[in-house]
Amino acid sequence: MKKNLKFIALMTASFTLSACGGGGSSTETNTSTNSNSNPIQQPVTPPVTPPITPPVTPPLDSGHLQTTVPVPTYAATTAELFTFNEINTFRKALGLGLVSQNTALDKAAVNHVNYISINKTPGHIESPVLQGFTGKSPTDRQVFAGFTGKVLGGEVISFAPMPQAIYSLINSVYHRDIIAAQYITNMGLSYGAGWGSPLAVEFGSITLQNNSPTFTTNYPLDGQVGLPLATFAEFPSPLPNTINSLSDFATKTSSPITFYSAFGTALTVKTFTVTAAGSITPLASSLITSSSDENKLVGSNTAHLIANAPFLANTKYTVKFEGSIDGIAISKAWSFTTGTSLDVGSGI
């Protein structure tokens, strides 16, 4: 019998994120502070709360990676082609397998964008009494559209102009994890011109892929420039003890720093710090892992670090990670440079 991994994420209208996925709770704080004068406030609207569905670990195939995928059929200059290329550029930069277009997932995305546009309602759950209904949950809608695979139900949605729609999803905690899921092999896309201009990305896996057991990667990348200054507003909040409103993301977070080990491994953090150039004291930060995520959405192979204030613009930062993977010690250091955008940045 096939196991299905259900992972769901949403961004609500006017640049607000909302997500679902799998992890644990509490934060770790360093000793210094950081500030950015006159930070720009992000426009927000009341979030839509999606269902939280903890993941079920799927059986992995023998570790193959998709290093090439067929050329997609999306028309040139479309939002769908841009999003497809940006997701695979992001995954390739992290050393992950690429994800191929799937027409059934495309259909599921088109159907849900149509439902959202007709009924002027964001969210992952459809009502059977409303026009355009094709299934209550993302899994239901993917099956209705004809997708059959080992993993179903992955969905991210944004309501923003391009390219912010995809960049904002990457500049978050839970949405980044979904886009960077190591085992997914297929996706479908639709960007609507109607109410809210919704972008829907459906993920699934016909044949699973995975990196080697010793694999590690991180984002931002070593040497990356133009990194956003703050985490994009996301609901549920990955920092519920410090984020009391969506506008707090603009003043109480930095862009998230992420360290991944291979899917299925257990990552343990000893120290995880970020330090501005010219300083010897790490920024006061919060650590989010599978054992410290109150929303239980972060996997055992994942650690996120978010400073307690926005990064400074046009500033170089150094990250140091020390911990273990399945009991084997590992350490890594890298650096990146910020840009000037508070919320979305410029992608890879």
Side-chain angles (χ1 to χ4, degrees), residues 9-243:
L10 165 71
M11 183 165 70
T12 63
S14 297
F15 295 71
T16 306
L17 292 173
S18 177
C20 290
S25 169
S26 118
T27 59
E28 178 174 296
T29 304
N30 295 320
T31 56
S32 72
T33 61
N34 180 32
S35 64
N36 183 37
S37 60
N38 300 318
I40 302 168
Q41 292 295 321
Q42 299 178 71
V44 296
T45 58
V48 174
T49 305
I52 294 178
T53 307
V56 176
T57 302
L60 289 175
D61 288 353
S62 57
H64 73 282
L65 286 182
Q66 291 185 160
T67 57
T68 61
V69 292
V71 176
T73 61
Y74 307 118
T77 74
T78 61
E80 288 84 357
L81 181 61
F82 181 87
T83 301
F84 178 91
N85 289 335
E86 195 70 14
I87 287 174
N88 274 327
T89 298
F90 174 76
R91 289 180 63 87
K92 183 177 181 179
L94 268 63
L96 307 176
L98 304 184
V99 182
S100 62
Q101 179 188 14
N102 180 274
T103 55
L105 292 178
D106 281 336
K107 184 177 179 181
V110 169
N111 287 344
H112 193 49
V113 164
N114 181 58
Y115 173 91
I116 290 171
S117 299
I118 291 173
N119 299 295
K120 297 180 173 59
T121 178
H124 295 287
I125 302 304
E126 292 188 3
S127 169
V129 301
L130 296 181
Q131 186 178 351
F133 173 82
T134 58
K136 181 179 179 180
S137 71
T139 297
D140 296 333
R141 295 191 295 273
Q142 290 180 6
V143 171
F144 177 85
F147 181 75
T148 57
K150 295 183 178 181
V151 179
L152 301 97
E155 180 177 90
V156 294
I157 307 171
S158 67
F159 294 81
M162 298 299 293
Q164 292 95 327
I166 181 58
Y167 292 159
S168 57
L169 292 169
I170 291 173
N171 186 38
S172 64
V173 172
Y174 301 136
H175 298 77
R176 177 182 295 174
D177 284 352
I178 292 173
I179 294 170
Q182 294 174 30
Y183 46 82
I184 60 172
T185 58
N186 305 94
M187 66 174 159
L189 299 160
S190 180
Y191 186 70
W195 179 84
S197 299
L199 169 69
V201 186
E202 304 289 331
F203 290 109
S205 299
I206 294 176
T207 60
L208 300 171
Q209 59 180 334
N210 201 34
N211 295 81
S212 72
T214 59
F215 172 78
T216 65
T217 192
N218 53 266
Y219 189 84
L221 308 170
D222 186 25
Q224 185 169 337
V225 298
L227 195 78
L229 307 182
T231 301
F232 205 76
E234 187 169 27
F235 185 86
S237 167
L239 299 170
N241 294 326
T242 58
I243 301 296

